[in-house]
Amino acid sequence: MAVVDAATDGATGPTVSLQPGHTVFGAGRSALWALILRDLVVLRKHLFEFVARTLIQPFLLCFVFLYVFPKIGQAVGGANPNAQSAFATILVPGVVGISILFQGVQSVALTMSQEFGYTREIEDRVQAPCPIWLVAMAKVLSGAAQGLLSAILVLPIASVVHAKGVEAHLSLHWWVVVTMVPLACVTMASLGLLLGTSFEPRNIGLMFGFIILPVTFLGGTYYAYTRLAPVRVGGWHWLQTLVLINPLIYINEGMRAAFTNAPHMPLYVIFPVLFAFMALFLGLGLRNFRRRVLA
């Protein structure tokens, strides 16, 4: 919108100047917020489904490993309650990390799969008055917000579902919490963008079988990274080396640094690597998104 200013000059007559009512940055910011708000409104309408989807897997993990197994004498970690509590301390942050992973992938990748499908609903989104990449960023940020909500919901549940005497020893380190959790959420939402724009809708099941499942089991959810040292061939700790390409291992180690006093990977390693993964996933995801929209 343009603003017209008219002034009267005795010598030359009226002069008119045109000034934009909104800057490009302001218009893009308004469009970005509108796209995010739309996703959050949809989430509010399906809040029950979101909560159920978020809590069912973490609840079952804690219920089976921390309640059922100790009750039937098959507790992970050994018969000693202290060893069982040590395992609970390792598991609970891992459950938060895996919840952020699944929420980021489901809220972004599955949505992308639907919108790039036969109906091409994505065409409605890219008609917003903003660059194409900003539409993708709105998906990432809304997915990150949902991941943050899942972390808030899961941590209390995971910390209280356990048998008597088997409990996680939690100790919140707030500066790590307020930096690590949002970084993890954005990283996993960026991974969701990359996966959602890389797989065709008909092949979305392959994504879970060949990518999400290995990432989950080799992501340190049920064990600390340092515990992988005995798995080696000769003098080479091959598994401990292999899992370093898995972003979930850094997220789970970061969650242990944020929520417990358990041994964990150094933070000066975790933060730079997660930033690198986020930049990589986001860059490739934005490129794929633009390519598929313009195809």
Side-chain angles (χ1 to χ4, degrees):
M1 179 181 294
V3 178
V4 180
D5 293 330
T8 303
D9 190 322
T12 60
T15 60
V16 177
S17 62
L18 297 178
Q19 298 178 348
H22 297 284
T23 64
V24 174
F25 174 79
R29 182 181 59 185
S30 299
L32 176 65
W33 172 243
L35 289 169
I36 295 175
L37 187 61
R38 178 231 175 236
D39 289 340
L40 294 180
V41 168
V42 172
L43 175 64
R44 186 180 65 179
K45 291 182 179 179
H46 300 87
L47 187 60
F48 176 79
E49 291 89 341
F50 169 79
V51 173
R53 184 180 71 233
T54 299
L55 294 184
I56 187 64
Q57 184 185 41
F59 174 80
L60 288 176
L61 284 174
C62 293
F63 179 72
V64 171
F65 282 111
L66 304 183
Y67 183 81
V68 176
F69 276 22
K71 288 290 187 180
I72 64 177
Q74 296 182 7
V76 179
N80 188 339
N82 291 331
Q84 297 172 18
S85 293
F87 173 72
T89 304
I90 293 294
L91 180 65
V92 168
V95 168
V96 177
I98 200 175
S99 299
I100 293 175
L101 165 67
F102 274 93
Q103 195 57 51
V105 170
Q106 289 179 346
S107 61
V108 181
L110 295 186
T111 301
M112 287 290 177
S113 174
Q114 295 172 357
E115 295 183 352
F116 278 116
Y118 178 76
T119 59
R120 296 288 295 181
E121 294 180 24
I122 194 65
E123 294 179 358
D124 295 336
R125 312 288 183 269
V126 297
Q127 291 178 4
C130 62
I132 292 176
W133 65 267
L134 209 59
V135 178
M137 281 301 304
K139 289 294 182 184
V140 170
L141 293 178
S142 64
Q146 294 180 47
L148 183 61
L149 287 175
S150 71
I152 294 173
L153 290 172
V154 165
L155 183 62
I157 297 296
S159 60
V160 299
V161 179
H162 55 77
K164 184 177 181 180
V166 181
E167 57 183 301
H169 301 296
L170 300 182
S171 178
L172 301 184
H173 305 279
W174 285 107
W175 78 268
V176 184
V177 172
V178 299
T179 52
M180 178 58 61
V181 175
L183 176 60
C185 293
V186 176
T187 302
M188 291 296 95
S190 300
L191 176 61
L193 175 67
L194 175 59
L195 296 177
T197 54
S198 299
F199 284 84
E200 294 294 333
R202 65 179 180 274
N203 296 328
I204 202 68
L206 297 177
M207 177 188 75
F208 284 93
F210 287 95
I211 295 181
I212 300 303
L213 197 60
V215 165
T216 300
F217 280 96
L218 297 176
T221 302
Y222 314 102
Y223 48 83
Y225 172 75
T226 54
R227 303 292 291 180
L228 295 176
V231 183
R232 59 187 178 183
V233 175
W236 179 36
H237 305 280
W238 67 271
L239 186 57
Q240 204 171 35
T241 303
L242 179 64
V243 298
L244 291 177
I245 65 174
N246 187 345
L248 186 59
I249 196 78
Y250 301 96
I251 289 177
N252 285 334
E253 289 292 301
M255 293 303 159
R256 291 183 184 110
F259 298 126
T260 73
N261 291 322
H264 55 79
M265 192 182 293
L267 290 175
Y268 62 79
V269 173
I270 295 174
F271 278 107
V273 173
L274 277 184
F275 273 111
F277 271 119
M278 180 186 67
L280 176 65
F281 296 153
L282 196 57
L284 294 177
L286 291 176
R287 185 198 65 180
N288 289 353
F289 183 83
R290 179 178 179 83
R291 174 176 55 82
R292 294 195 63 177
V293 166
L294 298 179

